[in-house]
Amino acid sequence: MQAFFILLGALAVIIPGCFIVSLFLPATVKVVRVRVIPATPAAVFQQINTVRNWENWSPWHQIDTHMKVLYTDTECGIGAAYSWESDNRKIGRGAMMITNSRPDEFIATDMHFMEQRLAKSTFKLEPVAGGTTVTWTMTAELGYNPVKKFMGLLMDKWVGRDFEKGLANLEAFLKGIPLSPLPK
């Protein structure tokens, strides 16, 4: 019985403690990855700005090559979008739309993941000697939910790996190297 009261007392301290700590955690999470790709800004832009081309390099398309993808009539530039649905828990379902597009410089997207949250993503392209610096950024509002705020601490690790793989895939595709599917 004493163990029960010790456990109850510990929970009475831990749960409010976690809530109080979460008040000091950021409500916004930001993930940034940068890679120099040995290709022109125009070639990189064309791959990102055309939503059907994401199948060529997106890390999520590699994870589930059988996911259902529906494209809108607009295939590139502002308004181009697609939605996806996968049985793989990591992929789930969602939609992505290009919201801003400046040729060879910048692309912005809105991504809705599993009908729960919106993430804004950008691709900034800068010409450099030997290619293009691609900066892929994602920003998501977590709100005031303590659980989401604690999960936000892990977003850079989780999503950052995917961004790194996507940028490597983009480079490989633009170099003409075939990509192998990721193990399930």
Side-chain angles (χ1 to χ4, degrees):
M1 191 67 155
Q2 184 179 3
F4 173 73
F5 286 117
I6 290 172
L7 179 62
L8 194 61
L11 288 175
V13 171
I14 291 172
I15 292 173
C18 286
F19 178 77
I20 291 169
V21 168
S22 77
L23 294 173
F24 297 98
L25 295 176
T28 302
V29 66
K30 186 174 186 177
V31 178
V32 180
R33 292 297 186 271
V34 179
R35 187 177 184 106
V36 175
I37 295 178
T40 65
V44 175
F45 180 81
Q46 191 266 339
Q47 278 301 308
I48 301 168
N49 195 54
T50 304
V51 293
R52 283 190 185 271
N53 290 345
W54 284 50
E55 291 181 28
N56 298 330
W57 57 271
S58 167
W60 304 293
H61 284 271
Q62 279 189 295
I63 292 169
D64 183 358
T65 57
H66 300 295
M67 75 173 144
K68 296 174 192 162
V69 180
L70 296 172
Y71 295 96
T72 60
D73 290 337
T74 305
E75 289 193 23
C76 62
I78 297 172
Y82 71 91
S83 61
W84 68 88
E85 189 173 325
S86 170
D87 292 331
N88 185 309
R89 286 184 47 200
K90 184 173 181 179
I91 307 300
R93 65 177 170 211
M96 190 275 303
M97 180 190 318
I98 296 176
T99 57
N100 193 348
S101 177
R102 292 192 309 265
D104 307 341
E105 292 179 10
F106 181 82
I107 297 158
T109 68
D110 281 356
M111 295 186 96
H112 297 270
F113 294 102
M114 297 175 219
E115 301 172 3
Q116 297 181 43
R117 60 185 164 207
L118 169 70
K120 296 197 174 277
S121 186
T122 62
F123 295 87
K124 185 178 175 188
L125 312 176
E126 297 178 84
V128 294
T132 303
T133 298
V134 181
T135 304
W136 190 356
T137 304
M138 180 199 73
T139 307
E141 292 296 324
L142 304 173
Y144 297 103
N145 182 321
V147 174
K148 286 184 179 181
K149 289 172 87 172
F150 275 107
M151 289 185 71
L153 296 174
L154 301 171
M155 284 296 241
D156 188 73
K157 182 177 180 178
W158 292 339
V159 177
R161 262 189 251 144
D162 289 343
F163 280 16
E164 290 165 8
K165 181 69 175 166
L167 291 171
N169 290 348
L170 181 58
E171 179 177 343
F173 181 80
L174 289 168
K175 284 182 171 179
I177 300 170
L179 302 174
S180 58
L182 295 174
K184 292 184 180 184

